[in-house]
Amino acid sequence: AVRSGELVLRTKGDADGLAALLDGVPGLRLRSIEDDGQGALLARLSHADPDRADDRALEESAAEVARRCVAAGRDVLEVGPKRRTLEDVFVEILGGER
């Protein structure tokens, strides 16, 4: 699958606490936190410097995010690079038109 340059994290707890926890992760920028509709939070992060983005750096960042969550007593339901779907690619090609 093609990488998107984004990292996703699904966890439980409060959004404000999660934002504070993720704010200081080196090399990452918090893009959004939303309710995933299944009783958990979905956080999207991206490289702070897109020019230096690569798979290895993203995986190291994912590990750091997981460590911080566990240290704070948060359950990590999912953490890792966001995979681009075929629909994502299609929308990119069409310039966002549907």
Side-chain angles (χ1 to χ4, degrees), residues 60-93:
E60 288 172 8
S61 296
E64 177 61 21
V65 165
R67 279 191 292 272
R68 285 174 182 237
C69 287
V70 170
R74 284 185 175 264
D75 292 334
V76 176
L77 306 175
E78 174 187 353
V79 63
K82 177 183 184 289
R83 308 285 183 179
R84 282 187 356 190
T85 64
L86 188 56
E87 181 183 3
D88 294 336
V89 175
F90 186 71
V91 169
E92 272 178 34
I93 291 170

Side-chain angles (χ1 to χ4, degrees), residues 9-23 29-36 40-45 74:
L9 166 69
R10 281 184 61 236
T11 186
K12 302 217 177 199
D14 65 297
D16 290 341
L18 182 59
L21 186 72
L22 297 176
D23 190 39
R29 183 169 64 93
L30 180 60
R31 299 178 63 87
S32 67
I33 297 177
E34 57 202 49
D35 189 311
D36 76 347
L41 295 172
L42 181 66
R44 297 177 194 278
L45 303 107
R74 284 185 175 264

Side-chain angles (χ1 to χ4, degrees), residues 5 25-31 45-54 57-58 61:
V25 178
L28 286 182
R29 183 169 64 93
L30 180 60
R31 299 178 63 87
L45 303 107
S46 64
H47 284 287
D49 181 0
D51 294 336
R52 301 186 62 204
D54 64 34
L58 205 56
S61 296

